[in-house]
Amino acid sequence: GLDQYHVLGEIYAKAQARNVEKCMIIEDGGCQGGRNCKLGPCVGILHDDYDGNIGLEGMNGSELTERVFHNIATQDDVDRLWDSVEKAICVMAEESKNEQDAPPL
C-alpha cells in the first residue's frame, strides 16, 4: 500500500491538476490520535471556519464519527478522499455564489 508521503504527494498532485493547490494547505501532520494510528495512513481535513477536522460526504461511518479518513493505502482510497474534498469545494463555492447573488436585505 501507499505510505503517508505517497498519499501526501498524490493529494497534492490532484490539487495541482485542478489548479487549487494555492487555495489550500496540504501538509504532513501528526498522528490523528487514539486508535487511528493503527488505521493509517489517515487524512484529516481542516477548514478555517471550523474547529478541528471536519467530516465530509463520502466518509464511511467510523471515519465520519472521528472526522478522519482511515487507511488511505491505495489509489482508490486517494480517489475516494479527493472526490469528497472536491465535492465539498464545489458545494462551498456554490453557497458562496448564492450568497453573493442574493438581493440585499
Side-chain angles (χ1 to χ4, degrees), residues 42-95:
C42 295
V43 176
I45 309 295
L46 301 170
H47 188 281
D48 290 343
D49 292 345
Y50 300 94
D51 183 34
N53 293 345
I54 58 173
L56 295 178
E57 193 174 313
M59 288 179 156
N60 67 35
S62 64
E63 290 173 335
L64 195 54
T65 299
E66 296 177 23
R67 297 182 298 180
V68 175
F69 286 94
H70 298 152
N71 199 26
I72 305 302
T74 68
Q75 188 62 50
D76 286 345
D77 296 328
V78 172
D79 292 344
R80 177 177 69 91
L81 180 154
W82 185 254
D83 286 346
S84 294
V85 169
E86 196 167 42
K87 285 177 188 172
I89 290 170
C90 291
V91 166
M92 290 172 45
E94 185 65 28
E95 287 174 357

